[in-house]
Amino acid sequence: MLLSIEKMAKSMKVDLPDLITRPTGRRFYENAIKKLVNVSADETVLCDFSGVEVIDPSFVDEFIVKLIKFSKTGEKPFFIRLKNFSHMVEDNIRSVFQSYCEFSNKKFSVITEDITIDNSHVIGIISEVERDIVEIIRINGTMSSIALSEYLHREKPETELILEEMYSDRLIKKDNSRFTIV
Amino acid sequence: MEEQEGVLTLPDKLNDIYSFDSIIALEKKIYSSNIRALDMGTISFVEPYSMTNLLLIARRYLKNTGNRLQLIHIPLPIHQYLLRMNFFSFPLFETPIALDAKKQLSRSAFSRRVLEITEIPSVERESVRVISQSVATFRKRGSFILKHWFSPDTVNYFVTVISEICQNVFEHSMDSGFLALQTYTYNRENVIRLVIADSGIGIEESFSKEQKEQYGTGAELIKNALTSPISGKREFGYGLCRVNSIIKEMKGNLFIRSQKSSVAFVYNKGYSEGAYSFLKNDLEQFNGTQISISLYG
């Protein structure tokens, strides 16, 4: 499912290129939730930021953070992937996620379609191993836990533990014993 | 200089954020000496922080006495500048004698130097509209205003900064505030100064007693709010923290004064990590929170 922020802004009569303030973020979140009524379980929602230059940290907190939390805890958990974001959008998302992780001691991240400034496809705090997994699954499309444990030079149970955690963090998809990109 | 009854001569201290504390120290005298007019005769320069705080002083005076303060003997360049910044559009000071149209500074929707003083309302809905308008105006003028600092992200950084600080006015201060931005040359240095000031409850009052036990009080609390995502209202508050990281990135200066405390983070002097913050407590009481962001180039 495609969630075009530009189209949402237009329908809500919000002028782009800047999406700022908490109240605006809240409105976008409420609007997105309505659109996500028909999303299937484990479907990928592609959040398209074309036409947006800046989203401020308040908007990130009210819209993106809440949307990611909802993707994990809603009745039908789904996956989120961000695309077409500007450098500033990425910077502000990264800043909020980083502060959140450092202060709450929890991991928080999201998959991206475009390459980020740190040369990966994730914004947020994840371990080096998790980052490697995202990138190798992205290249191969799908991989088994055995193939991944060989690639990572780690024991299978240890690898499976990491993969399960990444799945519950909505960073990779799971199809029986195989793991696929979001 | 001989003081006239009811007139307070302002010292030439409207040219710098730190000097403005001399003016704050005089606020009590306005009430104790029944001052009705401020003599601007000695003023040589007014920068945005001092200008917006003068409005706060006048607003408080109006609220406390029901009367408007008067500005007298305003030097022509100062009068021109204040008019250009819409200073007298807010009915807080007595309107001075009108300036001849020929003497007024020209205006353009694409001003290369200023964002005129804008009132940030205390009501959420209205405030969001004003902040969005201010950001949109800044977008139109940004590349001109920031020409000495321009990189593709500089305008976007400022959009984030303006938006986040202005939101604090309606979210936390319980008051309306003022926004102003100006580029100017001072001592042969190009300066851009963004100011957002309110006369609300201040940063400390927006935190609970328990939170203050955890995060500290006065300047320590302000410093914590700038360096970690703490909030008096919700689980996390990212705004000030992000503003600080942006100013650090841009090698600018950030100054916050709230009630009796102030914090200055100086990133443009090449200090090593940790040596750039200046914390002050027990300053003269000045209601609310006033934030100044400066870039030098």
Side-chain angles (χ1 to χ4, degrees), chain B residues 118-129:
Chain B
T118 306
E119 186 166 17
I120 310 293
S122 56
V123 182
E124 179 181 290
R125 194 173 174 159
E126 191 58 15
S127 189
V128 168
R129 187 184 63 77

Side-chain angles (χ1 to χ4, degrees), chain A residues 17-24 26 53-59 61-62 65 69 86-88 91-92 95-97 99-104 106, chain B residues 124 128 131-132 135-136 139 152-153 155-157 159-160 163-164 167 170-171 214-215 228-230 234-239 241-242 245-246 249:
Chain A
D18 304 313
L19 292 175
I20 53 172
T21 75
R22 277 189 184 276
T24 309
R26 277 197 288 271
E53 277 291 332
V54 172
I55 55 173
D56 69 5
S58 297
F59 187 95
D61 195 29
E62 294 291 341
V65 170
K69 284 182 177 172
S86 71
H87 177 219
M88 200 63 215
D91 240 16
N92 281 343
S95 158
V96 168
F97 285 12
S99 294
Y100 178 84
C101 294
E102 281 170 14
F103 215 64
S104 66
K106 288 177 192 163
Chain B
E124 179 181 290
V128 168
I131 296 168
S132 301
V135 162
R139 256 215 185 277
D153 277 333
V155 172
N156 290 340
Y157 274 143
V159 166
T160 303
S163 159
E164 283 299 337
Q167 283 181 77
F170 74 83
E171 280 237 325
Q214 193 181 350
Y215 307 132
S228 49
I230 60 172
R234 50 180 65 85
E235 191 183 4
F236 299 107
Y238 303 101
C241 210
R242 178 64 181 138
S245 70
I246 286 174
E249 178 95 4

Side-chain angles (χ1 to χ4, degrees), chain B residues 114-150:
Chain B
V114 304
L115 271 189
E116 294 85 356
I117 304 170
T118 306
E119 186 166 17
I120 310 293
S122 56
V123 182
E124 179 181 290
R125 194 173 174 159
E126 191 58 15
S127 189
V128 168
R129 187 184 63 77
V130 172
I131 296 168
S132 301
Q133 270 177 3
S134 298
V135 162
T137 306
F138 179 74
R139 256 215 185 277
K140 283 183 198 154
R141 301 178 181 178
S143 56
F144 299 116
I145 291 174
L146 292 162
K147 67 178 179 184
H148 295 293
W149 299 271
F150 195 74

Side-chain angles (χ1 to χ4, degrees), chain B residues 48-71:
Chain B
Y49 177 84
S50 309
M51 177 178 59
T52 46
N53 284 340
L54 268 185
L55 283 178
L56 295 181
I57 289 173
R59 188 165 71 178
R60 199 154 36 240
Y61 183 85
L62 180 60
K63 204 172 166 185
N64 290 339
T65 67
N67 298 314
R68 293 192 180 95
L69 274 170
Q70 200 182 351
L71 292 179

Side-chain angles (χ1 to χ4, degrees), chain B residues 245-288:
Chain B
S245 70
I246 286 174
I247 304 310
K248 187 176 183 180
E249 178 95 4
M250 296 173 85
K251 294 186 170 56
N253 291 350
L254 170 61
F255 174 81
I256 300 190
R257 195 189 196 287
S258 190
Q259 310 287 62
K260 288 181 170 182
S261 305
S262 75
V263 170
F265 279 3
V266 178
Y267 295 111
N268 71 325
K269 299 287 184 193
Y271 288 127
S272 60
E273 193 79 24
Y276 52 75
S277 59
F278 301 93
L279 280 66
K280 280 186 186 174
N281 284 311
D282 302 320
L283 297 169
E284 194 72 44
Q285 168 72 25
F286 194 67
N287 290 359

Side-chain angles (χ1 to χ4, degrees), chain A residues 25-26 30 46 62 91 107-108 124 148 158 160 171 174:
Chain A
R26 277 197 288 271
E30 283 157 16
L46 198 55
E62 294 291 341
D91 240 16
K107 286 196 292 183
F108 204 79
L148 279 161
E158 188 194 353
E160 281 176 342
L171 296 177
K174 189 168 75 170

